[in-house]
Amino acid sequence: MSSAETVTAKGQGLKGAFSPWSLGAIAIAAIVLAPICAVAALAFFPTENIWPHLLSTTLPRYLRTTLILMVSVGVLSAVIGTSTAWLVSRYQFPLRRLLEWALLLPLAIPAYVGAYALVDFLEYAGPVQTWLRGIFGWQTSRDYWFPEVRSLGAAIIVLSAALYPYIYILARATFREQSATSDEVARSLGAGAWGRFMRVALPLARPAIAAGMAIVMMETVNDFGTVDYFAVQTLTTGIFSVWLESNNAGGAAQISCVILILVIFLVTSEKISRRRIKFFNLGKSTRPVTRVTLKGGNAILATLVCLLPFLIGFVLPVGVMGDHALANMESWTDEGLIRALSNTVTVGAIAAVITVLAGVFLVYGVRLSGQSLPKLLLPLTTIGYAAPGAVLGVGILIPLAFLDHRLAELLESIFGGRFPLILTGSAFALVLAYCVRFFAIAQGAADAAMGRVPPNLALAARSLGRSKARVLAEVYFPLIRGSIGSALLLVFVDCVKELPATMLLRPFNYETLATRVHDQASLENIGDASPGALMIVLVGLVAVLLLARANR
């Protein structure tokens, strides 16, 4: 915020506190935070309190399974992401340059698509067991033992293969930024390759790895499609079970609060770990570490270590879905798929535009305001990204349904006749959920982009008589449109992939690509699910390529 704008804001006193920009920023923040507040209110004041019943029956099982899944996926993802980042950053081996970017591609695959592909590949009628029976002459499943495909272990593998890139990209950036000086000092003291990694490189990369693990664990808690397909009961599946099957919204809100506590714990722990451990580069220029060329067995082993996550996380899902899609070409012209594609593009585009515009307005409004309230609310608006989609679904649909019925009754009393539900009977609730869920992306992009604009430019425009709105349109927007475009794309991609919130909030008989793929796969109809899954993957690839370009 420029000095002139600060003086103006302070000079206005109470008038500045209630300026349109300040009020607009506060209103946007309130809308983003409202679903979380609604979940808490529903949990503490339920119509029918089943908390004692949950504590004595299903909740301990849901919580135990969720914690096992979170920790296992977090640790396995950290091992994969850190080891592959270390190898591509410090060593030269066959396919290194290709694998350095290929390891990012699993980000384009929603975990639930990977789950469908793994089951199809490993199940009794799949190619692996069919090949084994042909080789060894086995006739039935009683003739041999094969691991249970739909299990907690399989869910851990699938989620880790889909989520490890979050840790990989942060760890790789940290390893690349580390100076050769510390590595050379450790070498001179007799430390081998393993010792230098454990005693020097890993401690320096610990904050980045911890941040990545926190993201991975939050995404694990948010997952519904994978755990539902593998019949693993977690807190997220518990929300669907208690709300949709038992018809108890208060119980669903209470389980949602347990998830929120877990998420807040993860976010707080990650921030504390970063605050307590800080490293600084004291040199004016950093000399990068020279990569060591591996030969023989070590080179082959390094290539295999980096190749395996890429094969499981990207090649397997794309290969299985592509094979089914080619074998069922008629599915590409199915009316349901075309309708789902149209709904996905429409809702995702509307949500992306609204989210980014609201993010820009909020950041600009906070910068113009001299008041403390908008500044305090700004970081809180990112909580929607940490909250799982199922939690937001509970916090949005129940209050919105209440308002919808009151609105319908009001219209009927004024105009007579019958009025349909406007808010929950349309895609409005879905768009609102997407906006809240991914608002942090737009807000973060706008805040970072505006922070790079020299304040003197806005000051000069104001001195020439430009209004605040014209300064935003004529000064800020041309300079930040690249970041805004990236935010639009990222929000749109996340909207396309989002499953839990979409399943809870979609209107009756309203399909998106994510819900269609899940519904078809749940019916074991992988052939019809494959075209939609590949469309989701293609959209995700655009975001991954954008991410790779930004991190070159």
Side-chain angles (χ1 to χ4, degrees), residues 321-384:
M321 292 299 169
D323 180 64
H324 281 287
L326 291 175
N328 296 271
M329 293 300 293
E330 67 279 359
S331 298
W332 289 92
T333 57
D334 184 82
E335 290 184 6
L337 176 64
I338 296 173
R339 188 163 53 249
L341 175 62
S342 175
N343 292 339
T344 302
V345 172
T346 302
V347 174
I350 293 173
V353 171
I354 293 175
T355 304
V356 171
L357 289 178
V360 171
F361 190 101
L362 174 64
V363 172
Y364 189 59
V366 169
R367 286 174 175 270
L368 290 178
S369 174
Q371 306 303 314
S372 59
L373 181 58
K375 294 179 181 179
L376 290 174
L377 291 176
L378 182 64
L380 294 179
T381 57
T382 61
I383 194 173

